[in-house]
């Protein structure tokens, strides 16, 4: 796997409970639309230093933001530097919603 996952790849991981999923949308985006991917927990991308240590290290971490752009990439870089096996959802929550339709 590379740095990104497609929605179907994430669905496969979720079905096997083989990943920790984190919603890293900006607070305003999350508050405007608080729906998440099933099983995901929201984490403030501005506070990654505070919550990263609480993530499990025994399976990959998948993150997503609104559209899979700069927010996901910044959190991905931060978690990668901390040694996490991390991927981000290509297209973010928008792609997830489109794949479910």
């Amino acid at each position: 796997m590379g740095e990104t996952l497609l929605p179907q790849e994430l669905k496969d991981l979720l079905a096997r409970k083989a990943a920790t999923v984190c919603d890293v949308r900006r607070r305003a985006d999350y508050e405007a639309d608080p729906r998440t991917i099933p099983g995901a927990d929201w984490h403030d991308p501005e506070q990654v230093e505070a919550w990263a240590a609480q993530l499990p290290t025994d399976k990959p971490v998948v993150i997503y933001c609104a559209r899979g752009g700069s927010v996901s990439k910044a959190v991905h870089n931060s978690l990668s530097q901390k040694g996490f096996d991390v991927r981000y959802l290509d297209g973010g929550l928008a792609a997830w919603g489109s794949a479910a339709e």
Side-chain angles (χ1 to χ4, degrees), residues 1-99:
M1 280 192 278
E3 291 183 348
T4 64
L5 286 174
L6 297 173
Q8 186 58 50
E9 293 172 308
L10 177 55
K11 287 179 185 177
D12 294 344
L13 287 174
L14 289 171
R16 294 184 285 125
K17 297 182 177 162
T20 299
V21 183
C22 299
D23 180 330
V24 296
R25 289 176 289 162
R26 291 183 178 100
R27 181 177 298 277
D29 291 333
Y30 176 73
E31 289 175 351
D33 182 6
R35 70 187 166 103
T36 62
I37 291 173
D41 291 316
W42 179 78
H43 295 283
D44 188 339
E46 303 292 325
Q47 302 295 323
V48 68
E49 297 298 322
W51 53 263
Q54 299 168 359
L55 292 174
T57 57
D58 61 338
K59 54 187 169 182
V61 175
V62 178
I63 58 174
Y64 67 89
C65 63
R67 291 185 179 74
S70 61
V71 176
S72 286
K73 290 175 185 174
V75 174
H76 177 276
N77 289 340
S78 181
L79 293 176
S80 290
Q81 290 173 1
K82 294 178 183 327
F84 284 96
D85 178 6
V86 61
R87 314 280 188 303
Y88 64 92
L89 182 61
D90 189 28
L93 190 58
W96 178 265
S98 295

